[in-house]
Amino acid sequence: MLGLAVTALVTAVPVTASAQERPGRVATTVTAPLVANGKGTFTGTAKCTRGMTVTGGGFTSRGQDANGSITESYPDTSRSWKVTINDPGLGHGASIPHVTGTVYARCVK
């Protein structure tokens, strides 16, 4: 299985959208890249900053091929959202990633 490096980008914006995002709370969306570039299972995790709680999350794809599939998407901890992709492989020695995308987590404080 190949390793996957994950980094996060944090953007904070005040909102009042749901019961968990009440007036006066700060909501943030954090992201982390996920690249499935060969046969196997690939995992990415978007982590909320300290003091924030994850309220949702998911994955957006920019894949070159529709053969990859999301097998898991869930809150991994109270501060992170985890996505796992199963990639059946590139085939014929192709060098481009099968599936590339972004894991995201919605966080509130």
Side-chain angles (χ1 to χ4, degrees), residues 18-91:
S18 72
Q20 292 186 347
E21 295 176 3
R22 295 186 299 270
R25 286 196 166 188
V26 174
T28 301
T29 299
V30 294
T31 63
L34 180 83
V35 178
N37 58 2
K39 186 174 184 176
T41 301
F42 299 84
T43 301
T45 304
K47 296 180 181 179
C48 300
T49 57
R50 192 171 306 275
M52 300 194 88
T53 302
V54 70
T55 60
F59 179 78
T60 57
S61 175
R62 297 179 305 276
Q64 277 73 26
D65 193 328
N67 288 335
S69 60
I70 297 172
T71 57
E72 298 177 317
S73 180
Y74 62 93
D76 187 34
T77 69
S78 64
R79 288 184 39 221
S80 64
W81 194 272
K82 180 178 181 178
V83 173
T84 303
I85 293 176
N86 180 40
D87 188 344
L90 295 170

